[in-house]
Amino acid sequence: MTRTATAERTPAQMIDARIKELGDWRGDTLSRLRELIRQAEPKVVEEWKWRGVPVWYHDGMLCTGETYKDAVKVTFANGAALDDPAGLFNSSLEGSTRRAIDFRQGDKINAKAFKALVREAVALNAFRAQAGAKKKK
């Protein structure tokens, strides 16, 4: 893809193209996760960063959706601050800020728990944005 072609496409279109390009379980998984993110927060903003990574924002970064040969990794920017009663986080557990979920071929997605994490991330970002706005006054 040329630089001009990329500049003319919206982030949503580039994510659509990436899902289609994958053409396998990874594309299906990324598509389903994207759908769940949008259901959890209809006002989410999609971006395309770092040469091909879908990123979802609402009052700050929520999560990324990276694809690898053997996994689709959803990394929550502030995952360490989120409650995860369903135990979805299974990667990047040693860090003090981020947490990730690696989905592998054949894994079932716990839609209810995943959407709860997204909603919690949205609430955390909104709280932090509001606290930051109060500090500036």
Side-chain angles (χ1 to χ4, degrees):
M1 185 181 324
T2 67
R3 186 173 186 88
T4 304
T6 300
E8 294 172 3
R9 293 167 49 183
T10 68
Q13 290 170 329
M14 291 190 286
I15 295 169
D16 289 341
R18 177 67 175 149
I19 289 167
K20 185 177 178 182
E21 172 188 298
L22 288 166
D24 59 12
W25 69 270
R26 296 170 302 160
D28 295 341
T29 300
L30 183 60
S31 178
R32 177 69 177 135
L33 293 167
R34 179 189 196 193
E35 177 184 339
L36 293 173
I37 292 166
R38 289 171 160 178
Q39 288 173 6
E41 179 46 64
K43 293 180 182 176
V44 72
V45 174
E46 294 182 317
E47 292 292 334
W48 184 255
K49 304 273 185 167
W50 310 296
R51 297 184 185 172
V53 177
V55 184
W56 291 274
Y57 288 87
H58 192 282
D59 289 326
M61 184 187 298
L62 296 173
C63 59
T64 63
E66 301 164 70
T67 53
Y68 299 97
K69 182 179 177 181
D70 64 346
V72 174
K73 179 185 285 290
V74 177
T75 303
F76 283 78
N78 295 298
L82 303 178
D83 188 29
D84 180 23
L88 296 182
F89 291 129
N90 61 11
S91 182
S92 303
L93 302 174
E94 64 285 339
S96 62
T97 305
R98 293 185 304 273
R99 292 286 184 274
I101 307 166
D102 286 351
F103 294 95
R104 301 193 186 286
Q105 188 170 11
D107 284 354
K108 300 280 188 241
I109 298 171
N110 182 337
K112 183 178 178 181
F114 185 79
K115 289 195 294 187
L117 275 178
V118 172
R119 287 185 187 113
E120 190 175 350
V122 168
L124 177 63
N125 282 2
F127 174 79
R128 288 180 173 176
Q130 186 177 28
K134 285 181 181 179
K135 276 186 172 181
K136 290 180 182 180
K137 287 184 178 181

